[in-house]
Each structure stands twice: as structure tokens, then as C-alpha cells.
Amino acid sequence: MVSAAEEKARYLRDALETMNVQRIGKSISWHEHVDSTNLQAANLAKEGAEEGMVVLSDVQDAGYGRLNRSWASPAGGVWLSIILRPKIAIQEAAKITLMGGVAVAETLESLYGLNPTIKWPNDVLISEKKVCGILTEMRTEGRDIQFLILGLGINANCNFEELPEDIRSSATTLRLEKGSDISIMPLIETLLYNIDRLYNVLLSGDTRYIINLWKNRSDTLGRRVAITTPMEKIEGLAMDLDDSGALVIRTDDGGLKTIVAGDCTHLTNAI
Ligand code: BTN
């Protein structure tokens, strides 16, 4: 007997084919329960799974986010990971995360008329509240990227009360924003379509296009921010995003600092 998850995988694969999606979703693995779709996707990638394979789960029992924080993944959300094998330099990989944020924001805008913004590097916000987190993990071999897992978690129809108490003041769900449940399948279809489109742009070498889309949706540029890295905590004005996706900050001594990765807190309202 075909399970509900297998049925959804089949339906999604057919829909993406009809939409002429080129690289993403040629093969799809959908679970009812899984520890983490990122972990599953990484295992499949290690075994040689092709670029574009998508792993989804209705629920994740051990979902995780940046800085190894746990990521609540109850029923009703979109928890998915995509295997990518881009032939780009390791230091260029941050662009994939930025591309993911832009794809989510464009999807939520076109489907629901929302106005999503992006907090550097990868939080998609609606009215300042996080609706989606993105985690990109990479396996390298010498100077090459062997594979990259682009993991996206969208609080779609999750029950708000099932999200951990400590994140509720800074989180939202699509159901809350729209006032009713949204249809999950069109959301996933449109999201994967947009990721495919923007990933193709990235691979064609037009990074500026993606960086500019990100900048236009940025919730971070123009604000005073605090960035915590494993080495230091830096405060200053978020000035720009450079071509590699790093954040350029003007510190209080007037100098410019370029930050490749870190945890970003907004200290002031946007100007
Ligand atoms: C963050 O904001 O810290 C990133 C959260 C990323 C969560 C997604 S859900 C699908 C995929 N599987 C995981 O375990 N994590 C990512």
C-alpha cells in the first residue's frame, strides 16, 4: 500500500515536472516522521544522491538550526532539505543561503500578499517576527564542495502553542498571519520552483542579481546591530552586503568590518 507520504512525494514530483522545474525535485523522499531532514539529506548525499533531491517530513523529532539550536518542527510546518552540488568555491557558499531566503520571501509575497523581510543572513520575517529559518550545511573535499544541504523550515500551519515558549514573542506562523490555514502543497511547489529559478541564476554567475534581491528585502541594512561570532561581539551600523554575502558594518570607531558569519541582533528600528 502506498503511504500518505509517498502519495504526496509522487504528487509533488509530477507538479514540479509540469512546472518545468529543471534541477530541483527530480527525486523526492517524504517522511511522516524523521529526526531531521538535513541529517537524512546529508546521508543520502554521502551515498551519492543526485543534485536537487528533496527530503521532506511532516514532523521532525530532532530538527536543528544554526548554532546547533534545536528547531521545533511540529505537524503543520514545512520542513525540507535540498541536496545541491554547486561547482562554486567554498567561500561562495553563503550565497546559496541568501538565495534561499529570497526564494522564501518571494514565495510568501506572491502566494499570500505578505511583505516578508530578511534578517541577515537567513531569517525570513513577517512584521519583524520569524516565520522561516534556513540552515545550509556543507561537506567539502579539499577545495571543492562535495555537497551542500539547504534546509528550510517554515512555520506554516503549526499550532503556535506547539512552538517553544521562549521563541513565541519573536516567531509567527503563516496561519497566524493569514488568519486561517494555508494550502501546504502549493506553498512547497512554488517555493521549489523559485529556488530552482534563483539557483540557476546563481550558477550562471549572476550573483549581483541575487545580492540585490536580498538587499531590497533586507531588514538588517540601516540598523544598528550586534553580531556575535565565536571570537567576538561586534556592534555597529549595518551598511551593506558585499558580493560574497558578508555583512559590512561601520563600527563605533568609524572603521568598516566585514562579517562572514555570526548571530545578528537588531538593536534599533530601521531608518
Ligand atoms: C535557523 O534559523 O536556525 C535555521 C533553522 C532551519 C530548520 C530547518 S527545518 C528543515 C531542516 N532540517 C533541520 O533539522 N533543520 C532545517
Side-chain angles (χ1 to χ4, degrees):
M1 212 180 76
V2 180
S3 71
E6 280 167 335
E7 192 90 46
K8 287 190 278 190
R10 223 181 262 180
Y11 179 90
L12 179 57
R13 212 170 30 240
D14 290 349
L16 295 176
E17 211 172 295
T18 310
M19 294 161 93
N20 210 9
V21 172
Q22 290 172 31
R23 294 173 199 265
I24 308 296
K26 296 256 177 297
S27 90
I28 291 172
S29 165
W30 199 317
H31 304 258
E32 273 152 34
H33 263 271
V34 90
D35 46 5
S36 149
T37 55
N38 261 39
L39 286 179
Q40 293 298 320
N43 287 338
L44 290 163
K46 280 179 213 158
E47 288 162 12
E50 62 176 347
E51 159 150 290
M53 178 165 190
V54 183
V55 181
L56 302 104
S57 187
D58 295 337
V59 173
Q60 291 186 119
D61 300 315
Y64 57 94
R66 295 177 72 229
L67 309 171
N68 237 352
R69 292 179 184 136
S70 90
W71 178 264
S73 317
V78 172
W79 323 122
L80 68 82
S81 303
I82 307 172
I83 299 173
L84 298 174
R85 298 183 183 276
K87 294 198 177 15
I88 57 173
I90 293 169
Q91 56 278 13
E92 312 242 303
K95 293 173 199 164
I96 306 270
T97 308
L98 300 179
M99 178 275 288
V102 171
V104 172
E106 289 192 349
T107 302
L108 301 187
E109 185 177 83
S110 70
L111 286 181
Y112 314 119
L114 296 166
N115 180 26
T117 55
I118 309 175
K119 175 168 165 265
W120 185 82
N122 61 354
D123 290 348
V124 181
L125 314 178
I126 297 171
S127 310
E128 306 282 303
K129 298 200 172 191
K130 182 163 170 173
V131 72
C132 167
I134 300 174
L135 175 68
T136 310
E137 297 183 287
M138 181 165 57
R139 185 169 164 132
T140 59
E141 216 170 42
R143 289 170 168 210
D144 297 328
I145 296 176
Q146 200 187 359
F147 63 80
L148 206 142
I149 306 298
L150 177 63
L152 300 105
I154 305 178
N155 301 333
N157 295 331
C158 306
N159 200 338
F160 193 66
E161 281 65 46
E162 283 187 65
L163 299 180
E165 221 175 316
D166 59 314
I167 66 157
R168 284 188 213 156
S169 61
S170 60
T172 189
T173 67
L174 292 177
R175 175 199 264 172
L176 267 185
E177 296 302 321
K178 291 301 296 170
S180 60
D181 275 355
I182 54 105
S183 274
I184 291 287
M185 204 52 104
L187 169 59
I188 296 172
E189 287 166 21
T190 311
L191 175 61
L192 295 179
Y193 174 86
N194 282 330
I195 290 176
D196 186 72
R197 184 173 52 82
L198 295 174
Y199 184 53
N200 282 321
V201 173
L202 256 193
L203 294 185
S204 76
D206 196 356
T207 301
R208 272 273 115 213
Y209 180 77
I210 305 292
I211 299 274
N212 284 334
L213 289 177
W214 190 97
K215 282 190 193 181
N216 287 338
R217 296 196 176 265
S218 166
D219 199 48
T220 298
L221 298 181
R223 283 188 198 249
R224 192 171 168 79
V225 295
I227 309 287
T228 311
T229 76
M231 270 89 65
E232 55 185 341
K233 185 169 175 179
I234 308 147
E235 275 193 34
L237 186 65
M239 302 290 293
D240 200 7
L241 199 71
D242 76 9
D243 284 359
S244 71
L247 189 65
V248 182
I249 294 209
R250 172 164 301 137
T251 49
D252 294 342
D253 61 9
L256 289 180
K257 236 179 152 120
T258 301
I259 301 160
V260 177
D263 207 29
C264 173
T265 308
H266 291 163
L267 300 177
T268 56
N269 291 333
I271 41 174

